[in-house]
Amino acid sequence: MVYKAVFLDIRHKEMKERENFGSKMAVILAMAGSAVGLGNIWRFPYIAGENGGAAFIIVYALASFFLALPIFFAESIIGRRSRANTFGAMKTLAPGTHWKWLGLITVLTPLLILSYYSVVGGWSIEYLFKALAFDFTGAPPDKISGFFGSFISKAWEPIIMHTVFVGATTVIVLMGVKNGIERFSKITMPALFVLIVAIAVYGCTLPGAGKGVAYLLKPDFSKLSGSAVASAIGQAFFSLSLGVGTILVYASYMRKEENIFSAGAYTTIADFLFAIIAGFAIMPAVFAAGIEPGAGPGLVFETLPFIFNQMGASVPWLSATVAILFFLTILVAALTSSISLMEVGVSYLIENTKLGRKMATVLTGVFVWVLGIICSLSFGPMSGLLIGGENFFGALDKLCSNWLMPFGGLLFTIFVGWKMRKADVADEFTNGGTCNRGIFKVVYFLIRYVAPVGIIVVFITAILGL
Ligand code: TRP
């Protein structure tokens, strides 16, 4: 009876003509667009740097493929089966239960993430402007290293850049799934890949780069603490956009004949490769510049300008061009991710209230903008406000990355592994038995046991502070 109702509801939704991604390639590029972002270029290098390099990367790889990918599948199965936003999905697949709360939390978390994500997006816009003005070329090194600290601690400039970033995100999301999200991702993703590879190749040829390459390739397991493992898993979740419904919502725009397994596998491979290549673009430069790999969130912004400056001494135009391309890469990668974060809130508002896409997007944008202002100010005028020893920005990132995302991921896997009927899960994953039948058993096992247990272990480690 219940299932019949669910089925009718799904049919009804299809008849309402929900927007869809246009092709298999579009799905993969949009999902990879969501995954590849500041997480790869800005967050991955400094988190890897804080946790010892190569050994961390091995754990990160295992976490990506054995913990994160199953959650990716779980979210995709929920999203495409229900063809709804996170809240609607829970109401459709588990009507009248408390699961709707998971749907609601996962509407909110992406907006929290987006508010601080946009601040970093804003930093990359500022740096792009600096590169365009040839600011890194030929400036004295001490001035360059002071750039970052003095910029983020200002009141107005970072807020203005944050505003531009939220504005750009809002405009793309306003244009809708096909014309906005799909088109933007399709154009920019291939370009991004070419750019980051080019920068990595260049980075590895710098004098003194060898140490950076060794740092990425020679594991030192003695540096691998419990918290490093937890950070590796947190990074895998963050990088693959998991646990907060972004993949769920994108999968809800996936047509029934699209293949969930290949979308997940391609996205994970692309995201992992991109992080590693970004590592090679940045770590050699870090060592060449004599900067500490554990320097924290400023790592990319403090290191690269230094390199561009050194290059500038010999060939100014080349240095400026590489600098411009680099910050453009960061910005575009950030935008293809920020739109996925915003779309979660927007799809909820469109489908669960009377608002149209326009109002829904603007409202979401304003919410994110206001919260982001506090994040931005927490590096400057509001830096005295500490929560658990972190500024507002850091506390929000910790809350989301270390708690809300794994928690969401845990509940999504429990939902698919234990709450949904196995037959329904199999039906969705195999497109009614027409594909992926061999791999289903393994995937189901990962979703049902490995991922939840893995996340619970991480929680326990974090709570006990191991
Ligand atoms: N994965 C993106 C990045 O690496 C950011 C992102 C998009 C995200 N959607 C998310 C992070 C959902 C956490 C949760 O930059």
Side-chain angles (χ1 to χ4, degrees), residues 34-35 37-40 113 117 238-239 241-242 244 246 337 340-341 405:
S34 167
L38 294 173
N40 306 58
I113 298 175
Y117 200 85
F238 187 94
S239 197
S241 308
L242 292 175
V244 305
T246 41
S337 302
S340 74
L341 286 161
M405 288 171 43

